[in-house]
Amino acid sequence: MPKKNRMSPGQLFKVYRQVEGITQKCLAGHGNIQTLTFNNNSIMSKGMTFALGIEVLKYHKIIDKIIAESGLFKKKPSLKKDQGMLRIIMFEALFGEKSGDSTSIEELWKRYDKINFDLFKLGRTEYATWKSLLDKEKKKLGYTTNEGFVDPKYAKSKTHQHDNPEIELIRYVRVNTLKTTKEEVINKFSELGYEYRPVGLDKTDDFDKNEKSIVEDNHLTNDVLALYPSNVTLHDLEMIKSYEIIAQDKSSCFPPFLIHKELGGKLGKNDCLIDACSAPGNKTCYLAALFPSNQIYAYERNKNRYETLKNRMVLAGASNVECKLDDFLQTNPSDPKFKNVKAIMLDPSCSGSGIGHGNSIKKERLLSLQQFQLKLLTHCFNFPNVQFISYSTCSVCEEENECVTEMGLKASNGAFEVVHTFPEWEHRGLESSPVGDKCVRVDPKRDKTNGFFVVCFRRVNKQ
Ligand SMILES: C[S@@+](CC[C@H](N)C(=O)[O-])C[C@H]1O[C@@H](n2cnc3c(N)ncnc32)[C@H](O)[C@@H]1O
């Protein structure tokens, strides 16, 4: 990571602290490195933080083994609380760009000397022990390089966003039409050496996916483009920084797309929409772009996530979105200000099993999520003039998807019906459910975009 040399000791320490926090969370199973880094506005030098974090995660097993065998914690038990930072220091010394020869490693210690934090001095005193433990392990396992120590879970982490390393996702970007046009984006990609392929993905199996290509999506043709090769890093692109394009998974675009399919061109200028559970705001922003002349109320109850949402809407130019730091369940649907609400997008918190989280989620937890999701859905039904509601999760669990749909439908007492939405999408809900065929399911292995579920409800207008 060459840029790191140009950092002041204070900046370097800040990046290390960020990597410490993020890697600790990843290893404790509280999120993936991509989301923890790029969806958090308070993280500075995201690219560097991500790059260092992923390297530390790759080698965490052997690092932890060396820490244990070095007897450091026995000598100084107070160091246990610093294990996260110790991992980074050990990674840099044994596997980083300064590892290897004595001159480089001396540069590393000199850099560390400038950081006024005792832990960094340990590197100089303990390095010989660490190195000999690593060499011993290599000899024992017959490794000639360090590659054998890489944890396969993180080996390919730069190439996909799914937590399951066996799942390779296609990389999508959404054109933010609030700021630019698809043609403009295609031109800019062409200048960056990408070949534009105007046909849908299923017709382009013949092209080399390792070549730089930008491919039109065959469903969301106006707004979504697939990028190849899929391991491309996007965060340094000017178009990303300016919010002309937004890195967004295809499936995450479905709810706004489906609401627009139903109501596009049919709303009056005073009609408005609600995003009930908004942050970080990818779907909100797309909805804003599809309905640029309508007001959107975006609810988010978590303060930090609300701040992220608000910032993003400003950066993305979504001036028709009014962000509300509020619990959607506390809104009063009879309030006159909601009289013109015609559509609600509901994308509540869920188990995240579609993006690889919660593989071992307990039934009890699923049922509790189900109750919470159902409460939100039935609250949507109470808005007097709402015509259309999308309900979505990034879960693949029936309890949070078809079951909530069936229960919601029943609770609406005939006021709403489930729409056979997105018929051109082949993959439907579970056959075991009476509403399954009307629902859309996305399987990350099959569809190469994150696991997702979406269903739409339409008001039954009785004559
Ligand atoms: C799955 S995330 C939404 C992701 C978002 N739709 C997007 O595409 O970027 C769910 C969000 O809803 C928020 N949330 C959960 N319950 C809520 C409630 N009752 N009112 C408002 N926000 C809520 C959570 O804090 C979380 O930020």
Side-chain angles (χ1 to χ4, degrees), residues 185-199 201 204 206-216 225-229:
V185 167
I186 290 167
N187 283 342
K188 288 193 180 173
F189 270 114
S190 300
E191 283 162 22
L192 294 170
Y194 283 80
E195 189 166 335
Y196 169 54
R197 296 175 184 275
V199 282
L201 282 177
T204 55
D206 53 343
F207 75 90
D208 182 350
K209 294 187 171 73
N210 292 316
E211 297 283 316
K212 279 171 138 189
S213 317
I214 180 141
V215 184
E216 217 162 76
L225 296 161
L227 283 191
Y228 291 91

Side-chain angles (χ1 to χ4, degrees), residues 1 6 10 27 131 146 151 158 218 232 271 297 345-346 359 413 438:
M1 280 158 281
R6 281 179 249 128
L27 292 172
K131 180 86 174 74
N146 291 327
D151 180 346
K158 281 187 187 174
N218 50 346
V232 60
D271 288 336
Y297 298 114
M345 180 165 72
L346 175 61
N359 286 338
N413 215 0
K438 296 186 174 168

Side-chain angles (χ1 to χ4, degrees), residues 39 248 252 275-284 299-303 305-306 309 312 324-330 345-350 372 376 392-394 452:
N39 285 4
Q248 186 163 0
S252 145
D275 182 351
C277 295
S278 308
N282 278 341
K283 295 180 191 72
T284 326
Y299 285 86
E300 174 52 54
R301 67 176 180 185
N302 176 292
K303 175 91 173 72
R305 292 175 66 87
Y306 163 79
L309 171 74
R312 280 207 182 179
K324 306 262 192 198
L325 173 58
D326 230 332
D327 183 337
F328 174 65
L329 288 171
Q330 297 308 313
M345 180 165 72
L346 175 61
D347 184 50
S349 312
C350 68
F372 153 79
L376 284 157
S392 55
T393 69
C394 56
F452 202 69

